[in-house]
Amino acid sequence: QVQLVEAGGGLVQAGDSLRLSCAASGRTFSSYAMGWFRQAPGKEREFVAAIDLSGANTYYAESVKGRFTLSRDNAKNTVYLQMNSLKAEDTAVYYCAADRRANRIVTAIYEYDYWGQGTQVTVSS
C-alpha cells in the first residue's frame, strides 16, 4: 500500500510556471512506475506524463510535450512535474498515480493502482 500526496497547485497566469510534487509513503517507492493525469471540469481524466522506475525514461502527452518535465527523486520518494508556458487549457485537477507492477512507462489510467487526492491548477488567460 502506498499513499500519494500532491502539492504545488495554484492560480497562475498564462505563460507562467508551476512545479507540482507528489510525495509517496512507504519504502518501496523506487519499485513504482509513476504518472500524472489531469481532469478538467466536464471532461474525462486524461494522461499527462509518465516515468519509469529509475527516472531514465519519460513519456508525455502531445498537448504538454516540450512544456512539461517529469522527474523523480527515489531517495525522497517524490516525483516532480515542472510545468512551463502554461496555457488556459492546462486548467484542471492534477493527479499523480503509482503502478506497483510495471517496470516500464505506463500511460493507461486503468493500470495504475494508487492515486493521490489531486491538486488544482488554474491558468488565467
Side-chain angles (χ1 to χ4, degrees):
Q1 187 81 13
V2 63
Q3 291 185 325
L4 305 174
V5 179
E6 301 99 333
L11 172 63
V12 296
Q13 294 186 334
D16 285 352
S17 298
L18 276 176
R19 189 176 79 157
L20 306 183
S21 64
C22 173
S25 63
R27 296 175 290 178
T28 59
F29 176 73
S30 59
S31 66
Y32 291 80
M34 300 295 294
W36 282 91
F37 292 76
R38 66 187 182 187
Q39 188 166 18
K43 296 187 177 181
E44 294 187 351
R45 194 171 297 188
E46 64 175 7
F47 169 79
V48 174
I51 192 165
D52 66 1
L53 303 186
S54 68
N57 297 292
T58 54
Y59 185 79
Y60 301 93
E62 285 297 322
S63 58
V64 306
K65 194 174 294 184
R67 300 187 297 121
F68 290 12
T69 301
L70 181 56
S71 61
R72 67 189 295 163
D73 186 337
N74 286 341
K76 295 183 178 180
N77 284 12
T78 303
V79 292
Y80 303 97
L81 184 67
Q82 177 67 42
M83 306 186 297
N84 298 329
S85 302
L86 283 162
K87 305 176 181 179
E89 50 264 43
D90 295 319
T91 295
V93 177
Y94 283 71
Y95 299 90
C96 73
D99 181 336
R100 59 186 166 89
R101 294 159 295 190
N103 183 16
R104 57 183 171 83
I105 294 289
V106 181
T107 62
I109 190 169
Y110 65 86
E111 294 196 69
Y112 282 92
D113 303 292
Y114 306 105
W115 292 84
Q117 82 289 349
T119 185
Q120 176 70 47
V121 172
T122 303
V123 184
S124 63
S125 57

